[in-house]
Amino acid sequence: MEVEHRERWNFDAFGSRLTVDAASALMAAGLVAPVVTMIDRYAFCSRSEKDGARGSSDFTDKYCRAVAERVSGRMPFLRSFSISLQQFLLRPPIFLFSRPAAIMMLLYSSTYLTANLVDTISSAAQNQPASTTTSGLAKFGAVSSVNMSLALFKDSQFTKMFGTVAPRPLPPASYALLALRDSMTIFASFNLPSKFAPTLPESIENHCSRLSVAQFATPAFIQVFNAPLHLLGLDLYNRNRPTAVRDRLSKVWRDWPATSLARMCRVLPAFGIGGVVNHNTRARMMNALDRGS
């Protein structure tokens, strides 16, 4: 029994593997977190320009005013985003060490790290090369649990910081809708790409990996179906009073196209660029470990 156990489990350079997992996750998260923070502030901040954010920073006030103009129809999304980008470029320390950016960094570094750890543990348990990856239910369950928990925490904090009403706990219906939204995104990001990639034309391989294309396409496409869940969840929070279903659905329908586009722009760096960077960085360093062992 002990011989079989040693043959199956491979813990060679296991500490180095864990270091690679963490480094890859932090690198990918550090790359995408600032961009996603800017986009999420657009999605959550809809207070009027005259309201102001009591106790908020000058950066937050300027951002909320920009988004308020977008919501009222006076400023397009790209203009709102450009103002936030300008603040990031002119005062990067204030932006990068702000609470919203720190929350976003925690969310995505933990998500990537969980996916990496599942791959590392799986490869060790099955005595496979360190660079081996998996896309089964175990990975989906682990990543979903971590991502959804932290995403709900992030959503609750962003809603309180940038919402239209005084901070209060999210209602259960909002939590349920946001949880369903995130589970669909995780499934499209970690399970669908490997299934969708083989259906793409082989000629794509002449330019780039079909898996990389699928990694960008599937999370973005699912946002068309996620956007109504996102909008309804926020509407239930912002208008936490008896409201006609027709009125809520009308607002969701009106904001659906712009929010879908915004969430596509958000998920492309988060699970498109970030996912590819995390995967490729980990693969290169794990391959180096495999060659050295």
Side-chain angles (χ1 to χ4, degrees):
M1 292 297 294
E2 293 181 359
V3 173
E4 293 179 0
H5 180 77
R6 286 196 298 269
E7 289 179 350
R8 182 180 178 187
W9 289 82
N10 177 15
F11 287 105
D12 291 343
F14 194 72
S16 298
R17 296 190 205 180
L18 297 179
T19 301
V20 168
D21 288 339
S24 301
L26 288 173
M27 184 178 299
L31 180 66
V32 306
V35 178
V36 180
T37 300
M38 290 184 240
I39 296 173
D40 261 25
R41 280 177 161 173
Y42 158 77
F44 281 89
C45 179
S46 58
R47 58 167 58 94
S48 65
E49 183 175 355
K50 64 181 179 181
D51 286 341
R54 185 175 301 174
S56 63
S57 66
D58 179 61
F59 172 82
T60 301
D61 287 340
K62 288 182 177 179
Y63 185 87
C64 286
R65 286 198 293 272
V67 173
E69 291 185 0
R70 160 64 188 90
V71 173
S72 63
R74 296 194 297 273
M75 181 180 290
F77 166 72
L78 290 179
R79 176 58 178 161
S80 297
F81 185 85
S82 68
I83 289 180
S84 183
L85 180 61
Q86 182 182 25
Q87 294 293 323
F88 166 65
L89 294 176
L90 293 178
R91 293 190 291 177
I94 295 177
F95 182 92
L96 293 175
F97 292 100
S98 65
R99 190 180 183 201
I103 292 174
M104 201 67 71
M105 184 70 181
L106 173 65
L107 168 62
Y108 287 103
S109 61
S110 298
T111 299
Y112 301 141
L113 178 59
T114 301
N116 294 346
L117 290 177
V118 171
D119 290 336
T120 293
I121 294 173
S122 176
S123 64
Q126 300 178 28
N127 197 14
Q128 294 178 333
S131 57
T132 303
T133 60
T134 181
S135 60
L137 291 178
K139 189 174 187 177
F140 171 70
V143 175
S144 294
S145 298
V146 171
N147 179 266
M148 288 172 57
S149 298
L150 291 175
L152 289 174
F153 168 73
K154 181 267 299 179
D155 284 344
S156 67
Q157 296 303 305
F158 270 51
T159 303
K160 292 173 183 177
M161 285 186 283
F162 305 116
T164 62
V165 295
R168 63 173 183 273
L170 284 175
S174 292
Y175 268 115
L177 288 167
L178 297 177
L180 179 58
R181 176 204 67 185
D182 291 335
S183 65
M184 292 171 63
T185 298
I186 292 298
F187 182 78
S189 301
F190 291 93
N191 284 62
L192 284 185
S194 60
K195 300 180 183 299
F196 178 62
T199 68
L200 297 174
E202 293 185 3
S203 58
I204 293 179
E205 295 286 350
N206 296 329
H207 307 283
C208 61
S209 167
R210 287 187 291 176
L211 183 59
S212 295
V213 173
Q215 185 68 60
F216 280 93
T218 54
F221 178 72
I222 204 69
Q223 301 312 309
V224 175
F225 304 97
N226 277 358
L229 303 176
H230 176 84
L231 289 168
L232 185 56
L234 293 185
D235 188 61
L236 290 170
Y237 176 87
N238 288 326
R239 295 195 291 174
N240 190 20
R241 59 182 182 275
T243 304
V245 174
R246 183 175 180 178
D247 186 27
R248 292 192 188 277
L249 295 181
S250 176
K251 188 176 188 308
V252 169
W253 178 261
R254 183 173 63 252
D255 296 338
W256 191 349
T259 302
S260 295
L261 177 61
R263 288 193 58 77
M264 285 181 185
C265 293
R266 176 191 183 280
V267 81
L268 280 175
F271 292 110
I273 297 174
V276 171
V277 169
N278 177 61
H279 176 271
N280 290 347
T281 302
R282 180 181 182 275
R284 284 195 298 269
M285 290 193 286
M286 288 297 190
N287 284 330
L289 289 178
D290 286 335
R291 290 193 297 269
S293 60

